[in-house]
Amino acid sequence: MNTISTIPNLRAQINEWRRQKKTIALVPTMGNLHAGHLSLVEQAVADRVVVSIFVNPLQFGVGEDYQTYPRTFEADCEKLEKVSTHLLFTPSVTELYPAGMSSYVTVPKLSNILCGASRPDHFKGVATVVNILLNIVQPDKALFGEKDYQQLMIIKRMVADLFMPIEIIGVPIVREADGLAMSSRNQYLNAEQRAIAPCLWKTIDKMRLESGERNYTSLEKNAMQALAELGFKPDYVAVRQAQTLELPTAADKDLVILAAAWLGKARLIDNKIVSF
Amino acid sequence: MNTISTIPNLRAQINEWRRQKKTIALVPTMGNLHAGHLSLVEQAVADRVVVSIFVNPLQFGVGEDYQTYPRTFEADCEKLEKVSTHLLFTPSVTELYPAGMSSYVTVPKLSNILCGASRPDHFKGVATVVNILLNIVQPDKALFGEKDYQQLMIIKRMVADLFMPIEIIGVPIVREADGLAMSSRNQYLNAEQRAIAPCLWKTIDKMRLESGERNYTSLEKNAMQALAELGFKPDYVAVRQAQTLELPTAADKDLVILAAAWLGKARLIDNKIVSF
């Protein structure tokens, strides 16, 4: 695995691969890699797989965990060596955002709701950095985890709307044995919180939309209450149309249940895709 | 000259040219072509020159002239045949903005000042459509007129910030014999207004920053007053740093004088680049 941290060097490598007619996949990450990230790399069907590690300041709000976000470069490299990573791109902040940088990509309709309601500008930061990484690497495809479901829908929307010639692939959540969705932020949990954490998934998994209940507001309210009783500070539980994230009509059959809840210092998110 | 109006057909042609290692230049326009547009085509040094005609609803504000903007497709085609245009791209609104489109590109710092102050969201519409056209055509270079100077700076900033692998080229203003900058909107002028119109250029040309006057505020105020006395409704006259459009410091040697003024139904803009 080759590691490159500057854009000119990366472009030189990409151009060489292009000349050789290699297909290229990109897996953008913020590092601190776990089995969820590695499954993205493993499912990247391409001649060359590029992984980027960049803790993106633009997607952290004031008072959020940008400074303390876990940075584990050496362990990440070891893990990537074991899967089929050809190139690791590790740009600095000034490499991606040189002085004077002042352009942004926004998908307002999908960004101001759910997680975006409590994290203003978060998805503007996500859409912008992903747009930049896609323009630099110019991959044939890019893979993102379904755990960050709203993020995935925003990126798919951006790529479609701006006609970027890239396929965006969502990869299913990887869970711990007890059901907790893997996340770098799980390590913010103490032992007691870690024992409670899988209940986020269990609570939304129990909502069983498949069984025919269509009073989504009531299901959401019950789930929020259950989470609060378990010790979470729930941010939202929401049943939405799976692509647009709009409130579902009675006719909508492709839904997603999304949830976000604080547990101690960790803001956990999870979701369940439901089709019937 | 081949005319294509759908994205799949355009991409097929572009891909064929790419396989043949042809370089490609894009000249995005809103049609109603005049000598200014044709000079963009003439200065496009590339194996293949693509001109797009698209009256972009996203860059017109409420109450602006989107509906009445001059559409002169047949005359445009005749003019383009006479210069070295290989392909004319004429997408419909629903081709570029299909239902559900909700992504935007913004360069707020450069977009909320000068023309952007009186045309909210105008430059968001410009940046978004240019981003889309660049992603569809994927040219090696794209050419824009310096008449729309603020637009040119915003597009250069966007392409640099988002690392789009495309060269943006600004082409000098083409003027009528009496100095009026060519513009599709000049035809909104009646005979009397048309006689006054060149004074917009004459007024900013007379400011003579080169002569050593550094009280820019006073120069701006005098020019605004002169324009008002001539019968314009001046929007702004502004001396700015040439790239950032910020207020110039005493040390700045690359400046631009920008002006916008209403004359009857026409909002005219002009500028003068000054280096000393």
Side-chain angles (χ1 to χ4, degrees), chain B residues 216-255:
Chain B
Y216 300 138
T217 311
S218 157
L219 286 175
E220 289 166 1
K221 202 176 135 194
N222 293 344
M224 291 275 280
Q225 197 175 330
L227 288 172
E229 282 165 12
L230 286 158
F232 291 89
K233 273 194 214 164
D235 185 355
Y236 64 83
V237 177
V239 179
R240 296 297 175 101
Q241 201 282 329
Q243 276 76 49
T244 63
L245 302 184
E246 289 173 358
L247 293 174
T249 65
D252 283 321
K253 306 290 185 204
D254 293 309
L255 305 182

mmCIF file of all heavy atoms in Angstrom, chain B residues 216-255:
data_model
loop_
_atom_site.group_PDB
_atom_site.id
_atom_site.type_symbol
_atom_site.label_atom_id
_atom_site.label_comp_id
_atom_site.label_asym_id
_atom_site.label_seq_id
_atom_site.Cartn_x
_atom_site.Cartn_y
_atom_site.Cartn_z
ATOM 1 N N TYR B 216 -10.129 55.904 -2.981
ATOM 2 C CA TYR B 216 -11.057 55.177 -3.853
ATOM 3 C C TYR B 216 -12.512 55.537 -3.539
ATOM 4 O O TYR B 216 -13.338 55.616 -4.436
ATOM 5 C CB TYR B 216 -10.837 53.674 -3.718
ATOM 6 C CG TYR B 216 -9.433 53.238 -4.084
ATOM 7 C CD1 TYR B 216 -8.750 52.303 -3.326
ATOM 8 C CD2 TYR B 216 -8.790 53.761 -5.210
ATOM 9 C CE1 TYR B 216 -7.467 51.885 -3.669
ATOM 10 C CE2 TYR B 216 -7.503 53.356 -5.552
ATOM 11 C CZ TYR B 216 -6.854 52.419 -4.772
ATOM 12 O OH TYR B 216 -5.594 52.028 -5.109
ATOM 13 N N THR B 217 -12.815 55.723 -2.259
ATOM 14 C CA THR B 217 -14.193 56.039 -1.875
ATOM 15 C C THR B 217 -14.663 57.318 -2.552
ATOM 16 O O THR B 217 -15.799 57.403 -3.036
ATOM 17 C CB THR B 217 -14.294 56.189 -0.337
ATOM 18 O OG1 THR B 217 -13.649 55.061 0.249
ATOM 19 C CG2 THR B 217 -15.730 56.248 0.112
ATOM 20 N N SER B 218 -13.778 58.288 -2.595
ATOM 21 C CA SER B 218 -14.128 59.550 -3.232
ATOM 22 C C SER B 218 -14.297 59.371 -4.747
ATOM 23 O O SER B 218 -15.250 59.890 -5.347
ATOM 24 C CB SER B 218 -13.039 60.571 -2.897
ATOM 25 O OG SER B 218 -13.017 61.599 -3.845
ATOM 26 N N LEU B 219 -13.392 58.603 -5.361
ATOM 27 C CA LEU B 219 -13.521 58.323 -6.802
ATOM 28 C C LEU B 219 -14.845 57.630 -7.108
ATOM 29 O O LEU B 219 -15.528 57.950 -8.085
ATOM 30 C CB LEU B 219 -12.367 57.415 -7.261
ATOM 31 C CG LEU B 219 -10.978 58.036 -7.404
ATOM 32 C CD1 LEU B 219 -9.949 56.953 -7.743
ATOM 33 C CD2 LEU B 219 -10.973 59.105 -8.506
ATOM 34 N N GLU B 220 -15.197 56.642 -6.268
ATOM 35 C CA GLU B 220 -16.443 55.892 -6.465
ATOM 36 C C GLU B 220 -17.654 56.825 -6.375
ATOM 37 O O GLU B 220 -18.570 56.766 -7.206
ATOM 38 C CB GLU B 220 -16.575 54.796 -5.394
ATOM 39 C CG GLU B 220 -15.593 53.639 -5.558
ATOM 40 C CD GLU B 220 -15.504 52.757 -4.314
ATOM 41 O OE1 GLU B 220 -16.209 53.031 -3.322
ATOM 42 O OE2 GLU B 220 -14.721 51.789 -4.340
ATOM 43 N N LYS B 221 -17.617 57.690 -5.370
ATOM 44 C CA LYS B 221 -18.736 58.609 -5.120
ATOM 45 C C LYS B 221 -18.904 59.576 -6.290
ATOM 46 O O LYS B 221 -20.028 59.816 -6.755
ATOM 47 C CB LYS B 221 -18.461 59.379 -3.813
ATOM 48 C CG LYS B 221 -19.691 59.945 -3.152
ATOM 49 C CD LYS B 221 -19.330 60.592 -1.836
ATOM 50 C CE LYS B 221 -20.036 61.951 -1.711
ATOM 51 N NZ LYS B 221 -19.475 62.765 -0.611
ATOM 52 N N ASN B 222 -17.787 60.095 -6.768
ATOM 53 C CA ASN B 222 -17.842 61.025 -7.912
ATOM 54 C C ASN B 222 -18.395 60.332 -9.157
ATOM 55 O O ASN B 222 -19.181 60.912 -9.907
ATOM 56 C CB ASN B 222 -16.452 61.589 -8.212
ATOM 57 C CG ASN B 222 -15.957 62.496 -7.101
ATOM 58 O OD1 ASN B 222 -16.746 62.931 -6.257
ATOM 59 N ND2 ASN B 222 -14.650 62.759 -7.075
ATOM 60 N N ALA B 223 -17.958 59.086 -9.380
ATOM 61 C CA ALA B 223 -18.422 58.341 -10.567
ATOM 62 C C ALA B 223 -19.921 58.060 -10.463
ATOM 63 O O ALA B 223 -20.663 58.196 -11.435
ATOM 64 C CB ALA B 223 -17.630 57.044 -10.715
ATOM 65 N N MET B 224 -20.378 57.672 -9.262
ATOM 66 C CA MET B 224 -21.808 57.414 -9.041
ATOM 67 C C MET B 224 -22.618 58.677 -9.349
ATOM 68 O O MET B 224 -23.665 58.621 -10.005
ATOM 69 C CB MET B 224 -22.052 57.015 -7.571
ATOM 70 C CG MET B 224 -21.504 55.682 -7.148
ATOM 71 S SD MET B 224 -22.629 54.310 -7.531
ATOM 72 C CE MET B 224 -23.802 54.438 -6.178
ATOM 73 N N GLN B 225 -22.099 59.794 -8.874
ATOM 74 C CA GLN B 225 -22.804 61.071 -9.074
ATOM 75 C C GLN B 225 -22.842 61.425 -10.559
ATOM 76 O O GLN B 225 -23.885 61.849 -11.077
ATOM 77 C CB GLN B 225 -22.076 62.147 -8.275
ATOM 78 C CG GLN B 225 -22.915 63.399 -8.070
ATOM 79 C CD GLN B 225 -22.196 64.391 -7.160
ATOM 80 O OE1 GLN B 225 -21.420 63.985 -6.278
ATOM 81 N NE2 GLN B 225 -22.433 65.679 -7.379
ATOM 82 N N ALA B 226 -21.708 61.226 -11.229
ATOM 83 C CA ALA B 226 -21.650 61.519 -12.669
ATOM 84 C C ALA B 226 -22.662 60.650 -13.429
ATOM 85 O O ALA B 226 -23.377 61.137 -14.312
ATOM 86 C CB ALA B 226 -20.230 61.264 -13.186
ATOM 87 N N LEU B 227 -22.745 59.369 -13.070
ATOM 88 C CA LEU B 227 -23.687 58.461 -13.741
ATOM 89 C C LEU B 227 -25.128 58.915 -13.506
ATOM 90 O O LEU B 227 -25.946 58.936 -14.426
ATOM 91 C CB LEU B 227 -23.494 57.023 -13.235
ATOM 92 C CG LEU B 227 -22.222 56.320 -13.715
ATOM 93 C CD1 LEU B 227 -22.046 54.979 -13.003
ATOM 94 C CD2 LEU B 227 -22.252 56.099 -15.238
ATOM 95 N N ALA B 228 -25.429 59.301 -12.284
ATOM 96 C CA ALA B 228 -26.784 59.755 -11.960
ATOM 97 C C ALA B 228 -27.126 60.999 -12.774
ATOM 98 O O ALA B 228 -28.241 61.125 -13.305
ATOM 99 C CB ALA B 228 -26.897 60.022 -10.464
ATOM 100 N N GLU B 229 -26.169 61.906 -12.903
ATOM 101 C CA GLU B 229 -26.412 63.141 -13.663
ATOM 102 C C GLU B 229 -26.634 62.854 -15.150
ATOM 103 O O GLU B 229 -27.344 63.578 -15.836
ATOM 104 C CB GLU B 229 -25.246 64.120 -13.471
ATOM 105 C CG GLU B 229 -25.325 64.832 -12.122
ATOM 106 C CD GLU B 229 -24.020 65.530 -11.727
ATOM 107 O OE1 GLU B 229 -23.130 65.649 -12.614
ATOM 108 O OE2 GLU B 229 -23.897 65.919 -10.558
ATOM 109 N N LEU B 230 -26.016 61.766 -15.628
ATOM 110 C CA LEU B 230 -26.174 61.389 -17.040
ATOM 111 C C LEU B 230 -27.508 60.689 -17.312
ATOM 112 O O LEU B 230 -27.886 60.475 -18.463
ATOM 113 C CB LEU B 230 -25.032 60.450 -17.448
ATOM 114 C CG LEU B 230 -23.660 61.102 -17.631
ATOM 115 C CD1 LEU B 230 -22.545 60.072 -17.503
ATOM 116 C CD2 LEU B 230 -23.595 61.793 -18.998
ATOM 117 N N GLY B 231 -28.196 60.273 -16.255
ATOM 118 C CA GLY B 231 -29.496 59.637 -16.444
ATOM 119 C C GLY B 231 -29.534 58.170 -16.040
ATOM 120 O O GLY B 231 -30.555 57.498 -16.170
ATOM 121 N N PHE B 232 -28.398 57.637 -15.570
ATOM 122 C CA PHE B 232 -28.378 56.262 -15.049
ATOM 123 C C PHE B 232 -28.979 56.237 -13.641
ATOM 124 O O PHE B 232 -28.981 57.254 -12.951
ATOM 125 C CB PHE B 232 -26.931 55.752 -14.927
ATOM 126 C CG PHE B 232 -26.230 55.521 -16.231
ATOM 127 C CD1 PHE B 232 -25.508 56.544 -16.850
ATOM 128 C CD2 PHE B 232 -26.245 54.275 -16.837
ATOM 129 C CE1 PHE B 232 -24.824 56.323 -18.038
ATOM 130 C CE2 PHE B 232 -25.561 54.045 -18.027
ATOM 131 C CZ PHE B 232 -24.848 55.076 -18.632
ATOM 132 N N LYS B 233 -29.447 55.052 -13.244
ATOM 133 C CA LYS B 233 -29.683 54.800 -11.812
ATOM 134 C C LYS B 233 -28.559 53.898 -11.359
ATOM 135 O O LYS B 233 -28.658 52.669 -11.467
ATOM 136 C CB LYS B 233 -31.018 54.083 -11.605
ATOM 137 C CG LYS B 233 -32.207 55.007 -11.478
ATOM 138 C CD LYS B 233 -33.401 54.235 -10.931
ATOM 139 C CE LYS B 233 -34.680 54.780 -11.535
ATOM 140 N NZ LYS B 233 -35.816 53.882 -11.366
ATOM 141 N N PRO B 234 -27.477 54.470 -10.862
ATOM 142 C CA PRO B 234 -26.316 53.630 -10.531
ATOM 143 C C PRO B 234 -26.603 52.714 -9.344
ATOM 144 O O PRO B 234 -27.228 53.127 -8.371
ATOM 145 C CB PRO B 234 -25.218 54.633 -10.192
ATOM 146 C CG PRO B 234 -25.908 55.920 -9.915
ATOM 147 C CD PRO B 234 -27.216 55.899 -10.619
ATOM 148 N N ASP B 235 -26.171 51.450 -9.487
ATOM 149 C CA ASP B 235 -26.288 50.483 -8.398
ATOM 150 C C ASP B 235 -25.012 50.549 -7.545
ATOM 151 O O ASP B 235 -25.068 50.710 -6.325
ATOM 152 C CB ASP B 235 -26.504 49.083 -8.991
ATOM 153 C CG ASP B 235 -26.750 48.028 -7.948
ATOM 154 O OD1 ASP B 235 -26.674 48.332 -6.747
ATOM 155 O OD2 ASP B 235 -27.004 46.870 -8.331
ATOM 156 N N TYR B 236 -23.863 50.443 -8.200
ATOM 157 C CA TYR B 236 -22.600 50.624 -7.464
ATOM 158 C C TYR B 236 -21.492 50.964 -8.453
ATOM 159 O O TYR B 236 -21.547 50.606 -9.640
ATOM 160 C CB TYR B 236 -22.217 49.367 -6.666
ATOM 161 C CG TYR B 236 -21.928 48.157 -7.526
ATOM 162 C CD1 TYR B 236 -20.670 47.978 -8.114
ATOM 163 C CD2 TYR B 236 -22.903 47.179 -7.748
ATOM 164 C CE1 TYR B 236 -20.406 46.872 -8.914
ATOM 165 C CE2 TYR B 236 -22.647 46.080 -8.542
ATOM 166 C CZ TYR B 236 -21.401 45.928 -9.128
ATOM 167 O OH TYR B 236 -21.145 44.853 -9.922
ATOM 168 N N VAL B 237 -20.504 51.672 -7.960
ATOM 169 C CA VAL B 237 -19.200 51.773 -8.615
ATOM 170 C C VAL B 237 -18.211 51.410 -7.516
ATOM 171 O O VAL B 237 -18.275 51.962 -6.412
ATOM 172 C CB VAL B 237 -18.899 53.194 -9.145
ATOM 173 C CG1 VAL B 237 -17.494 53.252 -9.744
ATOM 174 C CG2 VAL B 237 -19.939 53.600 -10.185
ATOM 175 N N ALA B 238 -17.339 50.438 -7.773
ATOM 176 C CA ALA B 238 -16.502 49.921 -6.685
ATOM 177 C C ALA B 238 -15.100 49.616 -7.187
ATOM 178 O O ALA B 238 -14.937 48.987 -8.230
ATOM 179 C CB ALA B 238 -17.130 48.661 -6.102
ATOM 180 N N VAL B 239 -14.119 50.077 -6.449
ATOM 181 C CA VAL B 239 -12.721 49.721 -6.717
ATOM 182 C C VAL B 239 -12.377 48.555 -5.794
ATOM 183 O O VAL B 239 -12.523 48.670 -4.576
ATOM 184 C CB VAL B 239 -11.780 50.916 -6.447
ATOM 185 C CG1 VAL B 239 -10.323 50.522 -6.709
ATOM 186 C CG2 VAL B 239 -12.180 52.111 -7.298
ATOM 187 N N ARG B 240 -11.958 47.442 -6.365
ATOM 188 C CA ARG B 240 -11.703 46.249 -5.552
ATOM 189 C C ARG B 240 -10.390 45.573 -5.937
ATOM 190 O O ARG B 240 -9.870 45.798 -7.030
ATOM 191 C CB ARG B 240 -12.861 45.242 -5.735
ATOM 192 C CG ARG B 240 -14.204 45.751 -5.236
ATOM 193 C CD ARG B 240 -14.175 46.012 -3.738
ATOM 194 N NE ARG B 240 -15.419 46.608 -3.248
ATOM 195 C CZ ARG B 240 -16.365 45.915 -2.630
ATOM 196 N NH1 ARG B 240 -16.211 44.617 -2.431
ATOM 197 N NH2 ARG B 240 -17.469 46.508 -2.194
ATOM 198 N N GLN B 241 -9.901 44.749 -5.033
ATOM 199 C CA GLN B 241 -8.763 43.903 -5.355
ATOM 200 C C GLN B 241 -9.213 42.955 -6.478
ATOM 201 O O GLN B 241 -10.324 42.428 -6.452
ATOM 202 C CB GLN B 241 -8.313 43.144 -4.099
ATOM 203 C CG GLN B 241 -6.878 42.617 -4.147
ATOM 204 C CD GLN B 241 -6.753 41.354 -4.979
ATOM 205 O OE1 GLN B 241 -7.673 40.552 -5.055
ATOM 206 N NE2 GLN B 241 -5.611 41.188 -5.624
ATOM 207 N N ALA B 242 -8.352 42.734 -7.470
ATOM 208 C CA ALA B 242 -8.810 42.119 -8.718
ATOM 209 C C ALA B 242 -9.249 40.657 -8.589
ATOM 210 O O ALA B 242 -10.114 40.210 -9.337
ATOM 211 C CB ALA B 242 -7.725 42.240 -9.791
ATOM 212 N N GLN B 243 -8.649 39.888 -7.656
ATOM 213 C CA GLN B 243 -9.030 38.470 -7.545
ATOM 214 C C GLN B 243 -10.065 38.234 -6.440
ATOM 215 O O GLN B 243 -11.029 37.516 -6.637
ATOM 216 C CB GLN B 243 -7.800 37.582 -7.263
ATOM 217 C CG GLN B 243 -7.024 37.193 -8.510
ATOM 218 C CD GLN B 243 -6.179 38.338 -9.040
ATOM 219 O OE1 GLN B 243 -5.454 38.968 -8.296
ATOM 220 N NE2 GLN B 243 -6.304 38.627 -10.335
ATOM 221 N N THR B 244 -9.818 38.831 -5.263
ATOM 222 C CA THR B 244 -10.689 38.543 -4.116
ATOM 223 C C THR B 244 -11.926 39.435 -4.083
ATOM 224 O O THR B 244 -12.861 39.156 -3.336
ATOM 225 C CB THR B 244 -9.927 38.753 -2.794
ATOM 226 O OG1 THR B 244 -9.566 40.149 -2.713
ATOM 227 C CG2 THR B 244 -8.654 37.913 -2.733
ATOM 228 N N LEU B 245 -11.905 40.517 -4.850
ATOM 229 C CA LEU B 245 -12.966 41.537 -4.845
ATOM 230 C C LEU B 245 -13.121 42.177 -3.470
ATOM 231 O O LEU B 245 -14.165 42.777 -3.165
ATOM 232 C CB LEU B 245 -14.296 40.952 -5.342
ATOM 233 C CG LEU B 245 -14.264 40.337 -6.745
ATOM 234 C CD1 LEU B 245 -15.658 39.881 -7.166
ATOM 235 C CD2 LEU B 245 -13.715 41.314 -7.778
ATOM 236 N N GLU B 246 -12.093 42.060 -2.631
ATOM 237 C CA GLU B 246 -12.116 42.740 -1.337
ATOM 238 C C GLU B 246 -11.700 44.204 -1.504
ATOM 239 O O GLU B 246 -11.131 44.587 -2.527
ATOM 240 C CB GLU B 246 -11.169 42.032 -0.353
ATOM 241 C CG GLU B 246 -11.723 40.682 0.083
ATOM 242 C CD GLU B 246 -10.747 39.863 0.935
ATOM 243 O OE1 GLU B 246 -9.612 40.339 1.162
ATOM 244 O OE2 GLU B 246 -11.122 38.760 1.343
ATOM 245 N N LEU B 247 -11.966 45.013 -0.485
ATOM 246 C CA LEU B 247 -11.519 46.405 -0.520
ATOM 247 C C LEU B 247 -9.999 46.418 -0.625
ATOM 248 O O LEU B 247 -9.325 45.709 0.119
ATOM 249 C CB LEU B 247 -11.970 47.141 0.747
ATOM 250 C CG LEU B 247 -13.491 47.329 0.875
ATOM 251 C CD1 LEU B 247 -13.836 47.936 2.230
ATOM 252 C CD2 LEU B 247 -14.034 48.198 -0.257
ATOM 253 N N PRO B 248 -9.441 47.206 -1.534
ATOM 254 C CA PRO B 248 -7.992 47.177 -1.713
ATOM 255 C C PRO B 248 -7.273 47.901 -0.578
ATOM 256 O O PRO B 248 -7.776 48.886 -0.050
ATOM 257 C CB PRO B 248 -7.776 47.914 -3.040
ATOM 258 C CG PRO B 248 -9.015 48.687 -3.289
ATOM 259 C CD PRO B 248 -10.124 48.095 -2.484
ATOM 260 N N THR B 249 -6.132 47.352 -0.243
ATOM 261 C CA THR B 249 -5.253 48.065 0.689
ATOM 262 C C THR B 249 -4.348 48.963 -0.143
ATOM 263 O O THR B 249 -4.315 48.867 -1.374
ATOM 264 C CB THR B 249 -4.375 47.081 1.484
ATOM 265 O OG1 THR B 249 -3.498 46.426 0.547
ATOM 266 C CG2 THR B 249 -5.208 46.038 2.191
ATOM 267 N N ALA B 250 -3.585 49.820 0.531
ATOM 268 C CA ALA B 250 -2.668 50.724 -0.179
ATOM 269 C C ALA B 250 -1.637 49.917 -0.966
ATOM 270 O O ALA B 250 -1.112 50.380 -1.986
ATOM 271 C CB ALA B 250 -1.983 51.645 0.818
ATOM 272 N N ALA B 251 -1.354 48.703 -0.505
ATOM 273 C CA ALA B 251 -0.307 47.890 -1.148
ATOM 274 C C ALA B 251 -0.807 47.159 -2.399
ATOM 275 O O ALA B 251 -0.005 46.723 -3.219
ATOM 276 C CB ALA B 251 0.233 46.876 -0.144
ATOM 277 N N ASP B 252 -2.132 47.020 -2.547
ATOM 278 C CA ASP B 252 -2.667 46.257 -3.680
ATOM 279 C C ASP B 252 -2.424 46.993 -4.991
ATOM 280 O O ASP B 252 -2.768 48.168 -5.131
ATOM 281 C CB ASP B 252 -4.174 46.002 -3.505
ATOM 282 C CG ASP B 252 -4.457 44.891 -2.516
ATOM 283 O OD1 ASP B 252 -3.707 43.887 -2.525
ATOM 284 O OD2 ASP B 252 -5.415 45.012 -1.735
ATOM 285 N N LYS B 253 -1.854 46.294 -5.952
ATOM 286 C CA LYS B 253 -1.524 46.877 -7.253
ATOM 287 C C LYS B 253 -2.378 46.290 -8.374
ATOM 288 O O LYS B 253 -2.304 46.748 -9.508
ATOM 289 C CB LYS B 253 -0.043 46.623 -7.580
ATOM 290 C CG LYS B 253 0.929 47.084 -6.506
ATOM 291 C CD LYS B 253 0.982 48.585 -6.425
ATOM 292 C CE LYS B 253 2.052 49.047 -5.431
ATOM 293 N NZ LYS B 253 1.760 50.393 -4.914
ATOM 294 N N ASP B 254 -3.104 45.210 -8.086
ATOM 295 C CA ASP B 254 -3.981 44.593 -9.093
ATOM 296 C C ASP B 254 -5.423 44.847 -8.694
ATOM 297 O O ASP B 254 -5.965 44.187 -7.815
ATOM 298 C CB ASP B 254 -3.711 43.091 -9.191
ATOM 299 C CG ASP B 254 -2.337 42.808 -9.764
ATOM 300 O OD1 ASP B 254 -2.017 43.370 -10.826
ATOM 301 O OD2 ASP B 254 -1.587 42.043 -9.132
ATOM 302 N N LEU B 255 -6.001 45.826 -9.373
ATOM 303 C CA LEU B 255 -7.338 46.271 -8.987
ATOM 304 C C LEU B 255 -8.309 46.104 -10.152
ATOM 305 O O LEU B 255 -7.907 45.881 -11.300
ATOM 306 C CB LEU B 255 -7.297 47.743 -8.570
ATOM 307 C CG LEU B 255 -6.292 48.118 -7.471
ATOM 308 C CD1 LEU B 255 -6.404 49.594 -7.138
ATOM 309 C CD2 LEU B 255 -6.503 47.277 -6.227
#
